[in-house]
């Protein structure tokens, strides 16, 4: 299994949480996940990042990008997130998870402590940020089923938080994430 980062040892008697960041490729999910992780680590909160790109390099390397494979990708990551949550971690998931049904299934698997965050950025901004050239390749037909180009992204209807990363700084976005964690009672050690 590929896991990006873990901060120290958690307390399984304490409830964990799952910050489920969804949005287009290039919206800023991984950047925000890493920034939130650093902040949580600085206050000695136990956290882990489950990044969709990294998970596809390990646990989910056998999956493609068909609807069925994407459903399975989300299902597996949700179960891993739930396991870490049960051990008291704040789990930060950075995953496109493009459909209502996939995110609803993740919410069902994880249950209490699921916090859906829509990392919202216009497609044009995401394309500008794309250092790997994935959008250009998708537009040339080289990458089938690419979310936002040849595959639909269903924007969340009622997420707990919307972060417009084309207008909010990373710091402002992380502050909003911290606020949601605090309001929900998952972070007690706020500086």
């Amino acid at each position: 299994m590929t896991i990006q980062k873990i901060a120290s040892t958690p307390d399984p008697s304490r409830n964990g949480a799952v910050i489920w960041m969804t949005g287009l490729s290039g919206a800023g999910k991984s950047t925000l996940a890493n920034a939130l992780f650093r902040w949580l680590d600085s206050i000695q909160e136990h956290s882990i990042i489950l990044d969709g790109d990294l998970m596809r390099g390990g646990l989910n390397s056998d999956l493609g990008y068909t609807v069925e494979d994407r459903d399975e990708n989300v299902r597996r990551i949700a179960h891993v997130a739930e396991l870490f949550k049960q051990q008291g971690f704040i789990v930060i998931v950075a995953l496109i998870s493009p459909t209502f049904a996939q995110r609803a299934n993740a919410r069902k698997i994880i249950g209490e402590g699921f916090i859906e965050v829509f990392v919202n950025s216009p497609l044009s901004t995401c394309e500008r940020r794309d250092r790997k050239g994935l959008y250009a390749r998708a537009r040339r037909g080289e990458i089938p089923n690419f979310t936002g180009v040849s595959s639909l992204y269903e924007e969340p209807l009622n997420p707990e938080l919307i972060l417009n990363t084309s207008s909010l700084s990373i710091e402002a976005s992380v502050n909003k994430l911290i606020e949601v964690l605090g309001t929900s009672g998952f972070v007690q050690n706020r500086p």
Side-chain angles (χ1 to χ4, degrees), residues 21-185:
M21 293 190 205
T22 177
L24 293 172
S25 178
K29 298 177 301 298
S30 296
T31 300
L32 292 177
N34 283 296
L36 179 59
F37 175 87
R38 286 190 299 275
W39 183 83
L40 290 165
D41 188 46
S42 77
I43 63 164
Q44 298 180 332
E45 284 288 343
H46 309 291
S47 61
I48 182 170
I49 297 172
L50 301 178
D51 188 284
D53 288 343
L54 296 175
M55 297 296 284
R56 278 195 174 272
L59 178 67
N60 297 336
S61 63
D62 61 322
L63 300 175
Y65 292 91
T66 65
V67 172
E68 296 79 17
D69 282 353
R70 285 174 183 245
D71 289 347
E72 179 61 11
N73 184 50
V74 171
R75 188 193 70 77
R76 288 181 190 178
I77 292 172
H79 278 288
V80 172
E82 169 57 13
L83 290 171
F84 278 104
K85 183 195 87 167
Q86 287 176 14
Q87 295 302 310
F89 280 90
I90 293 176
V91 183
I92 308 162
V93 175
L95 182 65
I96 293 171
S97 45
T99 70
F100 300 130
Q102 290 167 349
R103 295 187 300 268
N105 190 40
R107 186 180 292 270
K108 180 180 175 187
I109 290 166
I110 293 162
E112 187 177 337
F114 183 92
I115 300 169
E116 184 177 25
V117 178
F118 177 28
V119 183
N120 186 10
S121 189
L123 180 60
S124 59
T125 301
C126 294
E127 289 192 70
R128 257 195 328 276
R129 292 176 179 165
D130 181 20
R131 289 175 264 155
K132 298 176 189 172
L134 299 175
Y135 281 101
R137 290 181 56 212
R139 292 201 181 282
R140 290 193 303 265
E142 296 171 14
I143 303 175
N145 304 316
F146 192 81
T147 306
V149 176
S150 54
S151 184
L152 182 65
Y153 179 81
E154 299 173 337
E155 293 186 3
L157 299 176
N158 295 302
E160 282 74 14
L161 180 62
I162 298 173
L163 298 173
N164 186 331
T165 58
S166 62
S167 61
L168 280 175
S169 68
I170 294 169
E171 183 179 357
S173 296
V174 170
N175 285 337
K176 288 183 177 289
L177 288 163
I178 293 166
E179 186 177 315
V180 166
L181 282 168
T183 302
S184 302

